[in-house]
Amino acid sequence: MGNSIVRNYRLPIRIYYEDTDAGGVVYYANYLKFLERARTEWLRSFGFEQDQLREQDGILFAVRSVNINYVQAARFNQQVISCVDDFSLKRASIAVQQSIVMQDGGASVVNAEVNIVCLDCDKFSPKPIPERLYRELLACK
Amino acid sequence: MGNSIVRNYRLPIRIYYEDTDAGGVVYYANYLKFLERARTEWLRSFGFEQDQLREQDGILFAVRSVNINYVQAARFNQQVISCVDDFSLKRASIAVQQSIVMQDGGASVVNAEVNIVCLDCDKFSPKPIPERLYRELLACK
Amino acid sequence: MGNSIVRNYRLPIRIYYEDTDAGGVVYYANYLKFLERARTEWLRSFGFEQDQLREQDGILFAVRSVNINYVQAARFNQQVISCVDDFSLKRASIAVQQSIVMQDGGASVVNAEVNIVCLDCDKFSPKPIPERLYRELLACK
Amino acid sequence: MGNSIVRNYRLPIRIYYEDTDAGGVVYYANYLKFLERARTEWLRSFGFEQDQLREQDGILFAVRSVNINYVQAARFNQQVISCVDDFSLKRASIAVQQSIVMQDGGASVVNAEVNIVCLDCDKFSPKPIPERLYRELLACK
């Protein structure tokens, strides 16, 4: 698999009114918020805080592309799980496979691939992922 | 009226799915977005851009308090008008009377008083409203 | 104290990018989302789910007014606690005292009074709070 | 081109604080709101209102997938144009090519393909696009 690395992360999320729309279901853009919450908590689970990465390493992560499929709508008050399922790693980017599933039963809500690039905070140009984070990600194969 | 100053501003806003919730109406927090859009366009109508005020004058406006009454809910696809109705001016703050009304018929949707303070961008401490903006506001009595 | 009733509820909330704005802090409307999450979880802590109240009792809760003071801004990645501090109860409405505080140190972020009315789902007219919920609320004095 | 149909629609959108995040740019999920606003206004430009389609035709449009590339970030106070650039039509679905560009200069902000399916309001199963809308879409080749 080359540098394809696996570590799962699962974040339970409750659906509040703020997340829904007049169709009675989660507004389609809001799933991107849920996906990002899982990525943030996943990095935190390795001990990496994005505000520290910014201050200490001068980097931030920016989303370059999202490819998302909406399988089934989640409704007000339901509980879903936002997942990091897999990822592949390059020196300055990460392609993250993510999904959101129903907590009860595990039915698929959305599937997504999110491509993230590591940027220099000031120049907004690509910059290698900080060494200690890169190593942690490599190590979780 | 002392330094109570009047100038009306009215911004038409269409209700999109993004604004609504599963109750079928605009989510209660989102009216605060509509109110801010009107304040921003009202300042722009005087020739003041908030990004320039930040760069050139080193100030930003922060909301200190909101007192909002929800009179009638707006629904998907309706058109409302977000208004600045009146305001009173101090050296480092503005108390703005705002409302949102239905475009058809003018029925009241929300009424609000929003207190805004002018802050130094770096220190986040109160700072007098820049002179040329302060004068413009005074002049529109 | 008449029918003033006390029960505290505290919900920890992490600040994500979705919550912030270009000022580097939580966007002022988003605190209303945090306040509602706490009210929802507070009702849930009594065993009341809003989707069931809607289906079984034909009621929903609508916000009639919010009076909110912004004391100190919360930033990206910080953890805050959204609280129900106190409430007073009428037959068809609840006035809820709420606050958001920093998890570290407990400094005040916002204080708010939120007035909620119980409405008939179909007619959108005020309707008494369902008996078993009303009694639970009364009982937590 | 078979049933590939072209009609451009361009909706100017101002970036407000509500749209941005602590990175100083538009939050990545919010571009999906801008894309939807353009699709809604595009349908409206044909004389079709989604609330009427729902009541009269018993249908709604749901997003099945989004493939979005983020080219350049938009910042607070900038003006962008959200575009419908092209689309292909099937009996129960539309694949819409969209983009968002800077109003000054036309530089690319995002490119996206959004797949929309026409659903029966009650059963949430695919249903042919109402005849008069389908014909209008076909006609704009």
Side-chain angles (χ1 to χ4, degrees):
Chain A
M1 291 288 289
N3 57 6
S4 178
I5 289 158
V6 177
R7 179 179 278 191
N8 299 320
Y9 188 85
R10 293 165 62 84
L11 178 72
I13 291 175
R14 174 72 68 172
I15 310 298
Y16 294 111
Y17 268 121
E18 65 184 89
D19 304 310
T20 61
D21 68 22
V25 296
V26 172
Y27 182 66
Y28 87 124
N30 290 341
Y31 293 108
L32 272 66
K33 298 182 181 178
F34 299 170
L35 293 174
E36 193 196 40
R37 291 182 201 172
R39 293 194 305 273
T40 297
E41 296 301 337
W42 171 62
L43 283 183
R44 202 190 314 280
S45 75
F46 290 98
F48 293 91
E49 301 285 343
Q50 288 179 73
D51 48 357
Q52 290 175 15
L53 287 167
R54 198 163 182 167
E55 285 164 36
Q56 295 169 12
D57 300 270
I59 64 106
L60 58 83
F61 289 106
V63 174
R64 272 299 142 98
S65 69
V66 175
N67 197 332
I68 182 168
N69 294 299
Y70 298 90
V71 183
Q72 178 194 180
R75 302 185 157 276
F76 171 69
N77 226 17
Q78 286 184 320
Q79 194 132 358
V80 296
I81 302 174
S82 182
C83 309
V84 171
D85 298 313
D86 197 356
F87 63 97
S88 28
L89 187 65
K90 292 189 179 168
R91 279 310 286 138
S93 67
I94 317 176
V96 191
Q97 303 294 329
Q98 295 200 253
S99 60
I100 299 174
V101 298
M102 292 291 180
Q103 184 164 68
D104 288 346
S108 197
V109 175
V110 309
N111 295 307
E113 180 173 306
V114 182
N115 285 286
I116 293 162
V117 64
C118 181
L119 294 182
D120 183 291
C121 275
D122 299 319
K123 298 181 226 163
F124 286 93
S125 56
K127 192 174 167 176
I129 295 167
E131 194 59 31
R132 68 214 156 80
L133 173 55
Y134 186 78
R135 269 195 230 125
E136 283 281 348
L137 289 167
L138 267 179
C140 71
K141 270 208 246 213
Chain B
M1 292 287 289
N3 55 6
S4 176
I5 289 158
V6 176
R7 179 179 278 192
N8 299 321
Y9 189 84
R10 292 165 63 86
L11 177 71
I13 291 175
R14 174 72 68 172
I15 310 298
Y16 295 112
Y17 268 121
E18 65 184 89
D19 303 311
T20 61
D21 68 22
V25 296
V26 172
Y27 182 66
Y28 88 124
N30 291 340
Y31 293 108
L32 272 65
K33 298 182 181 177
F34 300 169
L35 293 173
E36 193 196 40
R37 292 182 200 172
R39 294 194 305 272
T40 297
E41 297 301 337
W42 171 62
L43 282 183
R44 202 189 314 280
S45 74
F46 289 99
F48 293 91
E49 301 285 343
Q50 287 179 74
D51 47 358
Q52 291 176 14
L53 287 168
R54 197 161 182 169
E55 284 163 36
Q56 294 169 12
D57 299 271
I59 63 107
L60 58 83
F61 289 105
V63 175
R64 272 300 142 94
S65 69
V66 176
N67 196 333
I68 182 168
N69 293 299
Y70 299 90
V71 182
Q72 178 194 179
R75 301 185 159 274
F76 172 69
N77 226 17
Q78 287 184 320
Q79 194 132 359
V80 296
I81 301 173
S82 182
C83 309
V84 171
D85 298 313
D86 197 357
F87 63 98
S88 27
L89 187 65
K90 293 190 179 168
R91 278 310 286 136
S93 67
I94 316 176
V96 190
Q97 303 295 329
Q98 295 200 253
S99 60
I100 299 173
V101 299
M102 292 292 180
Q103 185 164 68
D104 288 346
S108 198
V109 176
V110 309
N111 294 306
E113 179 172 307
V114 182
N115 285 286
I116 292 161
V117 65
C118 182
L119 295 182
D120 183 291
C121 275
D122 299 317
K123 297 182 226 164
F124 287 93
S125 55
K127 192 175 166 175
I129 295 167
E131 194 60 30
R132 68 214 156 81
L133 173 55
Y134 186 78
R135 270 195 229 125
E136 283 281 348
L137 290 167
L138 267 179
C140 71
K141 269 207 249 213
Chain C
M1 293 285 290
N3 55 6
S4 176
I5 288 159
V6 176
R7 180 180 277 190
N8 298 321
Y9 189 83
R10 293 166 61 86
L11 177 71
I13 291 175
R14 174 73 68 173
I15 310 299
Y16 294 112
Y17 268 121
E18 65 185 89
D19 304 309
T20 61
D21 68 21
V25 297
V26 172
Y27 183 65
Y28 87 124
N30 291 340
Y31 292 109
L32 273 65
K33 299 183 181 178
F34 299 170
L35 294 173
E36 193 196 39
R37 292 183 200 173
R39 292 195 305 272
T40 298
E41 297 300 339
W42 171 62
L43 282 182
R44 202 190 312 281
S45 74
F46 289 99
F48 293 91
E49 301 284 343
Q50 287 180 73
D51 46 359
Q52 291 176 13
L53 287 168
R54 198 162 182 169
E55 285 163 36
Q56 295 169 12
D57 300 271
I59 63 107
L60 58 83
F61 289 106
V63 174
R64 272 299 141 98
S65 69
V66 176
N67 197 332
I68 183 169
N69 293 300
Y70 298 90
V71 183
Q72 178 194 177
R75 302 184 158 274
F76 172 69
N77 226 16
Q78 287 184 321
Q79 194 132 359
V80 296
I81 301 173
S82 182
C83 309
V84 171
D85 298 315
D86 197 355
F87 64 98
S88 28
L89 187 65
K90 292 188 178 167
R91 277 312 284 139
S93 67
I94 316 176
V96 190
Q97 303 295 329
Q98 294 199 254
S99 60
I100 299 173
V101 299
M102 292 292 181
Q103 184 164 67
D104 288 346
S108 197
V109 176
V110 309
N111 295 307
E113 180 172 307
V114 182
N115 285 286
I116 292 162
V117 65
C118 182
L119 295 182
D120 182 290
C121 275
D122 299 318
K123 298 182 228 165
F124 286 93
S125 54
K127 192 175 168 176
I129 295 166
E131 194 61 29
R132 68 214 155 82
L133 173 55
Y134 187 79
R135 269 195 231 124
E136 283 280 348
L137 289 167
L138 267 180
C140 72
K141 269 207 247 213
Chain D
M1 291 286 290
N3 55 6
S4 178
I5 289 158
V6 176
R7 180 178 278 188
N8 299 320
Y9 190 83
R10 293 165 62 85
L11 177 71
I13 291 175
R14 174 72 69 173
I15 310 298
Y16 294 113
Y17 268 122
E18 65 184 89
D19 304 309
T20 61
D21 68 20
V25 296
V26 172
Y27 182 66
Y28 88 125
N30 291 340
Y31 293 108
L32 272 65
K33 298 183 181 178
F34 299 170
L35 294 173
E36 193 196 40
R37 291 182 201 173
R39 293 195 306 272
T40 298
E41 297 301 338
W42 171 63
L43 283 183
R44 202 191 312 281
S45 74
F46 289 98
F48 293 91
E49 301 284 343
Q50 288 180 72
D51 47 358
Q52 291 175 16
L53 287 168
R54 198 163 181 166
E55 284 164 35
Q56 295 169 13
D57 300 88
I59 62 108
L60 58 83
F61 290 106
V63 175
R64 272 298 141 98
S65 68
V66 176
N67 196 333
I68 182 168
N69 293 299
Y70 299 90
V71 182
Q72 178 193 178
R75 302 185 158 274
F76 172 70
N77 225 16
Q78 286 184 320
Q79 194 131 358
V80 296
I81 302 174
S82 182
C83 309
V84 171
D85 298 313
D86 196 357
F87 63 98
S88 26
L89 187 64
K90 293 189 178 167
R91 279 309 288 136
S93 67
I94 316 175
V96 191
Q97 303 295 330
Q98 296 200 253
S99 60
I100 299 173
V101 299
M102 291 292 180
Q103 184 164 69
D104 289 346
S108 198
V109 175
V110 309
N111 295 307
E113 179 173 306
V114 182
N115 286 286
I116 293 161
V117 65
C118 182
L119 294 182
D120 183 289
C121 276
D122 299 319
K123 299 182 225 164
F124 286 93
S125 55
K127 192 175 167 176
I129 295 167
E131 195 59 30
R132 69 215 154 80
L133 173 56
Y134 186 78
R135 268 195 232 125
E136 283 280 349
L137 289 167
L138 267 179
C140 72
K141 269 208 246 211

